[in-house]
Amino acid sequence: MRAPRHPSLGEPLAAREPVVVLGEFDGFHLGHRHLVQAAARVARLGERPLTAVVFDVGRDRVLHELSDRTHALLRHGVSQIRVLQLSLESATAAEVADTITTACRPALIVMACAPDGTAGDYPDVRTEFRARGVDVVEVDRVVDHAGPITAERVRTAVGTGDIDAVVELTGEPYPITGIVQRGQQLGRTIGYPTANLDPPAGRVIPAKGVYAARVRHDGTVYDAAVNVGVRPTVDASDVLVIEAHLLDVDIELYDERITVSLTHRVRDEHRFESLDALTDQLARDVATVRRLNA
């Protein structure tokens, strides 16, 4: 297939120097969407492809796996992605600019600026790009009642279990993907079978508690009540586990990959005096999940 051409341009679009948008894009919050949408508009006006440079800085705790970030970027109009294992805290602005200009040959750089008009996370990089003949377009950050929307605010909201805030900041539920593990199968004996996930290493895990969620498996989505915690009523091991009880279905998912997307927080995790008390509470939790996910 031939690359598309524009009457005013003498070369295929895919061969033209791209517009390049910069960021870590962890959590892909509303600020990231705004930045990428602005970059996409600039690219369309110039009839150029849009490349995203993703800084993979090796954080101890991330909101999204790198693959989730790249998929989000592709869904929002990015045509090519370059991942750089480059720490903005340790690399100099000149090193960042040299690396990106060599890897991408950008026609233009699009990056976020802070609300006061500075270059935000990249204070000297814009100067270095311009010194290399590459202009920089700075996009205002998205600000709400609490200030600029940032990945750190999303991390804090997830860590405290404030899923409503996560949805407000990102526009989406909080996803956790993993392989279903074999558990003690105690839930099945009390009428609430669960699909259990080990907490993904290196991810920000929500605070212990019960959540409303939707579980995706093989293209099908199910409502679910999810417990993130150590199951203090039935287990003294203090091992954190993510348990998803799918509503109105009983399917075996062992060794299958599922995505659990948390939509709302229901309550804190508690230790109950008996299995009967736990079962009664689970019935109330399921009713709450139905109402919240309706």
Side-chain angles (χ1 to χ4, degrees), residues 90-190:
S90 59
T92 67
E95 288 171 336
V96 172
D98 281 340
T99 300
I100 292 172
T101 52
T102 299
C104 302
R105 299 178 58 84
L108 186 72
I109 296 291
V110 179
M111 58 195 298
C113 65
D116 61 2
T118 67
D121 295 333
Y122 321 106
D124 301 315
V125 174
R126 57 180 176 177
T127 301
E128 294 292 342
F129 278 123
R130 287 167 177 156
R132 289 158 178 75
V134 180
D135 201 4
V136 177
V137 172
E138 297 169 70
V139 178
D140 288 339
R141 292 179 182 251
V142 176
V143 179
D144 66 7
H145 61 91
I149 294 177
T150 65
E152 192 55 40
R153 284 182 60 190
V154 181
R155 292 186 191 104
T156 298
V158 173
T160 58
D162 190 352
I163 299 302
D164 286 345
V166 173
V167 174
E168 288 180 2
L169 293 169
T170 67
E172 296 181 346
Y174 186 63
I176 302 172
T177 298
I179 303 298
V180 177
Q181 306 295 315
R182 291 186 179 272
Q184 298 176 344
Q185 300 187 353
L186 177 61
R188 184 172 297 279
T189 68
I190 61 174

Side-chain angles (χ1 to χ4, degrees), residues 142-279:
V142 176
V143 179
D144 66 7
H145 61 91
I149 294 177
T150 65
E152 192 55 40
R153 284 182 60 190
V154 181
R155 292 186 191 104
T156 298
V158 173
T160 58
D162 190 352
I163 299 302
D164 286 345
V166 173
V167 174
E168 288 180 2
L169 293 169
T170 67
E172 296 181 346
Y174 186 63
I176 302 172
T177 298
I179 303 298
V180 177
Q181 306 295 315
R182 291 186 179 272
Q184 298 176 344
Q185 300 187 353
L186 177 61
R188 184 172 297 279
T189 68
I190 61 174
Y192 293 93
T194 60
N196 297 352
L197 301 180
D198 292 331
R203 288 287 305 279
V204 181
I205 302 301
K208 296 175 186 176
V210 176
Y211 297 85
R214 291 189 172 92
V215 172
R216 177 179 292 275
H217 170 255
D218 197 24
T220 302
V221 178
Y222 308 92
D223 286 328
V226 174
N227 184 69
V228 178
V230 296
R231 302 173 294 183
T233 305
V234 299
D235 193 340
S237 67
D238 205 35
V239 175
L240 191 71
V241 67
I242 299 167
E243 303 173 292
H245 169 64
L246 279 58
L247 275 55
D248 304 320
V249 295
D250 186 3
I251 55 177
E252 186 169 303
L253 294 173
Y254 297 126
D255 301 320
E256 295 287 326
R257 179 177 294 274
I258 64 173
T259 296
V260 178
S261 295
L262 305 181
T263 58
H264 302 275
R265 183 175 175 86
V266 174
R267 62 173 175 86
D268 293 342
E269 184 179 52
H270 299 298
R271 184 183 185 281
F272 295 91
E273 294 302 318
S274 67
L275 283 180
D276 286 342
L278 171 61
T279 303

Side-chain angles (χ1 to χ4, degrees), residues 31-76:
H32 293 140
R33 293 190 189 197
H34 175 66
L35 175 63
V36 173
Q37 288 166 357
R41 288 193 295 270
V42 172
R44 285 195 299 271
L45 286 172
E47 296 288 345
R48 294 182 181 276
L50 177 60
T51 294
V53 169
V54 180
F55 296 108
D56 185 22
V57 300
R59 292 187 182 276
D60 292 335
R61 299 189 314 145
V62 297
L63 294 160
H64 285 167
E65 301 289 351
L66 184 59
S67 59
D68 295 327
R69 285 181 261 170
T70 58
H71 290 157
L73 288 163
L74 292 171
R75 289 199 310 269
H76 286 80

